[in-house]
Amino acid sequence: MEDEATKSEQAGAFWDGWEAWRAAQPPRVRWNESEEIVRHVNARICGRPVDGFNQGLIDLFRERAGSDIPLARAVSVGCGNGGKEMTLLQQGLVQHFDLYDVSRASLDIGVALAAEWGLSERTNFIHGDACAQPADASYDLVFWDNSLHHMFDAHAAVRWSRDSLRPGGWFVMNDFVGADRFQFPTSALLLTRLVRTLLPQRYRANPADPNRPYLPYVRRPTLAEMAYDPSEAADSEAIIPALREIFPDAWIKPTGGTVYHLALNDILTNIPDGSPLLTRLLKLDDLTSFIPHFAVAIARKPM
């Protein structure tokens, strides 16, 4: 069996090409490119349909952290280009970020962004696995944004997070917590089939080839198909149990996604923001959010 270091290198190679791949995709095919869905998710988190990806969690964390803001020293594991973390710097929640990622290309983009935004002195981009570093109880915040599900051992990553925090430090997470290696449960697959079957064919059109409509179902990928990134959803099902064990008082909120992410994956571009159809689909997502998919969490290490 390949060791985690080898798998991490393979994952880094995949993510090195992410920005170029994303730039070649049709517009607005992912849920986080829809302003309406982003506002809907933010409302589920903080009770207000605020604009901006992850802004609902940021606003709620600011309220909960109170006088602890600004936090002096934070770390992000799997930061990508660091744009989401630099939002916390720009909004005054954090003074300095250590930013880890296994993709050199993503970090290079992040360094350039930090310079452009005047944040170079407040960011430290580091190539590698943060969880391989000693946990020295020195951080005020450990931040995970859609990267914890790329850890090969979620329990160990959450434990590292707790041990890396000073007493009273904060853990904040926004992540995929659904099926390992996208082996989605039957309930999720049936729901996606229902949604796609009921959609008129024009909404199921393939953005890359409108003459070839998508099939009305989403299937589980084979493990061979998942080999493109050995870290994708490597241990995602273990995230919530790990949080409940390691941070017993954690606030955890499911944010849905089986409809707006899985069922509408790649065809969202056909369903405009503000349409009655999208509104109904988001209500359906709310009703079926018991199916594990996305979740956010805020926890504090005891003083």
Side-chain angles (χ1 to χ4, degrees), residues 10-282:
Q10 291 176 342
F14 167 77
W15 287 100
D16 280 346
W18 168 253
E19 295 288 346
W21 176 86
R22 183 179 180 187
Q25 301 307 300
R28 199 177 160 281
V29 294
R30 299 289 182 267
W31 73 268
N32 56 1
E33 298 171 314
S34 162
E35 294 179 1
E36 182 173 354
I37 297 178
V38 167
R39 287 193 294 268
H40 178 85
V41 174
N42 284 336
R44 282 187 61 84
I45 297 170
C46 73
R48 300 181 300 277
V50 294
D51 289 316
F53 177 78
N54 209 27
Q55 193 61 48
L57 180 61
I58 292 172
D59 287 356
L60 183 64
F61 176 56
R62 184 193 295 275
E63 294 171 6
R64 295 199 169 208
S67 61
D68 284 358
I69 302 297
L71 301 169
R73 189 165 180 242
V75 61
S76 176
V77 185
C79 68
N81 63 25
K84 292 173 284 190
E85 291 79 3
M86 285 187 273
T87 297
L88 274 68
L89 295 172
Q90 291 171 323
Q91 294 189 18
L93 278 80
V94 174
Q95 293 178 330
H96 187 276
F97 248 117
D98 287 340
L99 300 165
Y100 284 84
D101 204 273
V102 296
S103 167
R104 290 187 183 275
S106 295
L107 293 176
D108 288 343
I109 294 171
V111 169
L113 284 175
E116 179 182 343
W117 296 343
L119 296 172
S120 296
E121 293 185 359
R122 300 174 62 191
T123 52
N124 180 28
F125 289 89
I126 307 164
H127 181 250
D129 178 8
C131 295
Q133 308 304 312
D136 58 2
S138 63
Y139 286 107
D140 301 286
L141 169 66
V142 176
F143 183 71
W144 296 90
D145 194 311
N146 288 284
S147 54
L148 185 51
H149 75 278
H150 286 281
M151 299 297 106
F152 297 108
D153 185 337
H155 188 277
V158 176
R159 185 174 61 247
W160 178 90
S161 300
R162 180 200 61 194
D163 294 345
S164 294
L165 289 169
R166 64 166 178 78
W170 294 88
F171 172 100
V172 175
M173 180 204 83
N174 177 7
D175 233 293
F176 175 77
V177 297
D180 290 353
R181 304 301 279 163
F182 293 163
Q183 300 303 292
F184 301 110
T186 300
S187 56
L189 297 178
L190 289 174
L191 178 59
T192 60
R193 186 181 185 105
L194 173 66
V195 170
R196 291 210 177 199
T197 299
L198 293 177
L199 286 176
Q201 183 169 310
R202 68 182 182 277
Y203 293 119
R204 290 188 277 116
N206 182 342
D209 183 2
N211 296 318
R212 184 167 60 85
Y214 276 106
L215 294 173
Y217 61 83
V218 175
R219 63 176 177 82
R220 296 183 184 96
T222 66
L223 295 181
E225 289 170 332
M226 293 297 296
Y228 69 91
D229 178 6
S231 75
E232 184 62 82
D235 195 28
S236 47
E237 292 178 33
I239 292 174
I240 297 301
L243 278 174
R244 288 175 174 152
E245 176 186 339
I246 296 169
F247 290 104
D249 297 326
W251 174 83
I252 302 170
K253 175 73 173 182
T255 55
T258 300
V259 175
Y260 67 73
H261 175 225
L262 191 57
L264 302 185
N265 190 42
D266 295 324
I267 63 171
L268 178 60
T269 188
N270 302 318
I271 306 173
D273 283 1
S275 66
L277 174 59
L278 185 55
T279 298
R280 290 194 294 269
L281 290 170
L282 290 175

